[in-house]
Amino acid sequence: MAHIFAFLAVTLLSSSIYASGPGTGSADFLKIPVGARETSLGGAFTAVADNANAVYYNPAGLSLLQNPEISFTNNKYLEGLSQQWLAAAYPYKSGAFGLGVNYLSVPAFGAYDNLNNPAGSVSAYDAAAYLSWGGRLPVDYKFIRSVSYGASLKYISEKLDTEHASGYGLDLGLLAATSVKNLRFGFGVDNLVSSKIKFIDEGAGLPLKFKAGVSYRLAPDSPVAAILFSADYNFPKDGAGYVAAGIEGLLYRAFAVRLGYSSFGDISNGLNFGLGFDLSRYTGRSISVDYSFAAASVFGDIQKLGITCKFRPRQISGAAAARSTVPARAEAPMRPPRETHAPAPAAGGGAVSRYADILKTGSLYQKRNALAELGEQEGEAPFNLLLSVLKNDDPVLVLDAVSVLSGLDDLRVIDPFIELLKAENADIQLAAISRLARYKDERVLQALEGCLGDKSPEVRSRAAVILGDFGDARAVESLKAALKKEEASEVKNALISSLKELDPGFQGTNNSNPVISPPVNGLSQ
């Protein structure tokens, strides 16, 4: 009986909970938010859409993805019901493809005829498959920096006992990045085009909905704490408009706390809570786990558990990609760089001009390919163009440019790389530190000493490791001075490890106990 009651809560009662009247829409399971992270933000994800689940919320967000990723969420929905959501995304050329599968099922329950005699069992399910694409257009308006667009074509299949029904729908989305840093607007329409889903003779179209959202990130590059604010307003054709909002706090890039609210529906009290864990530093892979919780009054609790895996980007040049893990000391001995490039004919001005145009107006995919090709060109013009990219606002391009330039073994990159140590993005700082490791130069030594006072523990740790490679008496004094002031245990470990490398007789302690740990790897994806 519990299974029957739960099933009716989603299907038969959906018209009164979600719609303006009986029979005004079909496939109401599509209204149940997917993804643990997204649900804990109240479903306010139209202007965020920064993962594979953009397939459901706003396909335009697929254009933001740099690496392939896959995401799975299990929803312990109401009594006896379960929902599974699987999404995958693959960047391709100027955008990304996306796939999604949404499946809601109820276990078989007893059936009875008109005389109340047992008549076997009844089962039911709802399913939807998504095929999506998201791309990005460069724009040159004063307030809008870029516009992303996307579409999701979905096929719906439903079963109730022995009866089947199917149909299709089309979702569209837009995402606009503004000139205000970290501020984005999103717009979408669900089921703009759809077919009727019929059981026997009766049928209804998919629920049409328009939505608009805004998101803002506070200190997204901070290694300590970053905050995301998001809000949506939804305009469903079959009911009253409703608001959704969420806030996410990310601590040390590893632990997330989320709170969301939605005024949609009557099943839950509207509040959602969630947690997230980034397991990258423990697994060596970019894997995260998310959880959301909502109380559904007499129906019980709604809990979702999700896991997301992002795959490492391919290297764009012979040099290791700037975002890959930096090898430990023993695997990365320093080698003296060449003083300058060997004389070579300069690349044609037309070719360099073409690359400059791509870097200005091309898609992100085209820009990254242009950087890789520039690294294979010889001459001053390609080299200077690569240097100019280090001042770009897009950290992805800056990291790629660092990777390409570091493979050239040219001393002229020292000063530009030192400038990157002042960047707000910690990943850029770490990439620059790692690339400077090969240059035994007074300027590098001085810059690394300055990094020992950086606000990021990761940056301080990596600087300590590199200073340990210098084998310099001055480095020993700098490391000892930093150790006296340091409070973070992971940085202390790196400082002591480097001091023991430089001075085997060093007897440093941490809280009166010797501390020896492996060198801290600089960067992980």
Side-chain angles (χ1 to χ4, degrees):
M1 181 62 69
H3 295 334
I4 299 176
F5 183 68
F7 182 66
L8 291 176
V10 176
T11 56
L12 301 181
L13 297 182
S14 61
S15 60
S16 63
I17 293 177
Y18 301 126
S20 57
T24 60
S26 60
D28 282 311
F29 78 103
L30 296 175
K31 299 177 180 179
I32 302 173
V34 302
R37 177 192 178 206
E38 296 77 9
T39 300
S40 60
L41 292 174
F45 213 66
T46 303
V48 182
D50 57 0
N51 56 28
N53 292 341
V55 166
Y56 175 91
Y57 288 96
N58 185 349
L62 292 172
S63 67
L64 303 176
L65 274 61
Q66 305 304 319
N67 310 314
E69 67 176 76
I70 186 169
S71 177
F72 175 77
T73 304
N74 181 66
N75 177 7
K76 181 184 174 296
Y77 200 59
L78 306 185
E79 179 63 35
L81 292 175
S82 66
Q83 179 191 37
Q84 286 76 42
W85 167 256
L86 176 67
Y90 186 83
Y92 181 75
K93 292 188 176 180
S94 60
F97 285 106
L99 296 173
V101 178
N102 190 356
Y103 185 77
L104 178 73
S105 64
V106 58
F109 52 85
Y112 299 86
D113 60 20
N114 292 335
L115 299 177
N116 203 31
N117 295 316
S121 61
V122 176
S123 62
Y125 72 78
D126 296 295
Y130 293 71
L131 175 61
S132 309
W133 167 260
R136 184 161 58 172
L137 294 173
V139 295
D140 194 22
Y141 296 112
K142 183 175 181 181
F143 183 65
I144 304 297
R145 293 179 56 192
S146 68
V147 174
S148 299
Y149 60 91
S152 288
L153 179 64
K154 57 195 176 190
Y155 173 77
I156 296 95
S157 176
E158 297 184 298
K159 177 189 174 184
L160 179 57
D161 194 16
T162 60
E163 298 298 327
H164 288 82
S166 62
Y168 68 86
L170 178 67
D171 302 342
L172 299 178
L174 291 173
L175 196 60
T178 71
S179 57
V180 178
K181 190 175 182 181
N182 306 320
L183 176 67
R184 289 207 301 252
F185 292 99
F187 307 90
V189 53
D190 293 347
N191 307 309
L192 178 64
V193 179
S194 70
S195 64
K196 286 188 176 182
I197 296 182
K198 294 183 179 181
F199 280 102
I200 309 178
D201 295 326
E202 296 298 325
L206 296 177
L208 177 66
K209 181 176 75 172
F210 296 90
K211 54 191 177 183
V214 59
S215 70
Y216 179 73
R217 298 177 185 271
L218 183 63
D221 298 326
S222 170
V224 179
I227 302 177
L228 167 68
F229 302 94
S230 66
D232 281 9
Y233 195 83
N234 299 268
F235 310 84
K237 184 180 179 180
D238 58 358
Y242 63 93
V243 66
I247 181 172
E248 174 186 71
L250 182 62
L251 303 176
Y252 298 103
R253 302 187 182 183
F255 177 68
V257 180
R258 306 178 181 113
L259 183 66
Y261 172 81
S262 174
S263 62
F264 173 62
D266 298 333
I267 288 182
S268 73
N269 60 14
L271 289 175
N272 296 271
F273 172 77
L275 300 172
F277 304 90
D278 187 336
L279 306 179
S280 300
R281 65 183 61 187
Y282 306 108
T283 64
R285 297 178 179 272
S286 184
I287 297 176
S288 60
V289 176
D290 298 292
Y291 169 81
S292 70
F293 173 88
S297 185
V298 296
F299 295 102
D301 300 328
I302 300 174
Q303 301 182 66
K304 298 183 182 181
L305 183 66
I307 183 169
T308 299
C309 179
K310 298 180 181 180
F311 299 90
R312 295 180 185 275
R314 60 184 177 86
Q315 294 182 356
I316 65 168
S317 70
R323 282 162 293 170
S324 63
T325 302
V326 177
R329 270 195 201 96
E331 301 174 1
M334 288 192 295
R335 52 193 176 97
R338 299 193 305 264
E339 290 296 325
T340 58
H341 282 302
V352 174
S353 177
R354 179 174 66 85
Y355 288 127
D357 289 340
I358 293 174
L359 291 172
K360 182 178 181 181
T361 61
S363 67
L364 183 59
Y365 177 84
Q366 293 170 330
K367 291 176 180 179
R368 299 187 74 183
N369 280 344
L371 290 175
E373 293 176 13
L374 278 169
E376 299 172 358
Q377 303 290 328
E378 294 185 349
E380 293 296 314
F383 182 78
N384 290 333
L385 185 55
L386 284 168
L387 288 179
S388 70
V389 178
L390 298 179
K391 299 180 181 180
N392 196 282
D393 291 334
D394 190 332
V396 173
L397 295 180
V398 175
L399 289 168
D400 282 352
V402 169
S403 178
V404 173
L405 285 166
S406 64
L408 301 180
D409 282 345
D410 193 311
L411 291 175
R412 290 176 292 174
V413 304
I414 292 179
D415 286 335
F417 281 7
I418 289 176
E419 282 297 312
L420 292 180
L421 299 179
K422 303 175 184 177
E424 294 182 4
N425 187 304
D427 285 344
I428 292 176
Q429 291 179 287
L430 291 168
I433 290 174
S434 299
R435 299 317 181 208
L436 286 169
R438 68 178 64 182
Y439 303 108
K440 285 191 175 182
D441 186 282
E442 175 65 23
R443 293 168 293 172
V444 176
L445 177 59
Q446 184 176 355
L448 290 174
E449 290 174 332
C451 287
L452 293 176
D454 193 88
K455 62 181 180 181
S456 167
E458 293 176 281
V459 171
R460 299 198 301 274
S461 296
R462 188 56 193 164
V465 170
I466 302 302
L467 280 170
D469 286 327
F470 264 79
D472 188 288
R474 173 176 162 184
V476 171
E477 295 306 316
S478 298
L479 291 167
K480 287 182 177 178
L483 182 60
K484 293 179 180 179
K485 303 176 182 177
E486 187 58 57
E487 297 181 357
S489 59
E490 62 183 277
V491 184
K492 287 183 179 180
N493 291 345
L495 289 165
I496 293 174
S497 178
S498 290
L499 283 166
K500 287 184 176 293
E501 183 86 8
L502 295 172
D503 181 7
F506 177 72
Q507 298 295 323
T509 59
N510 184 5
N511 296 329
S512 300
N513 297 314
V515 179
I516 302 177
S517 69
V520 178
N521 283 342
L523 210 56
S524 62
Q525 177 64 26

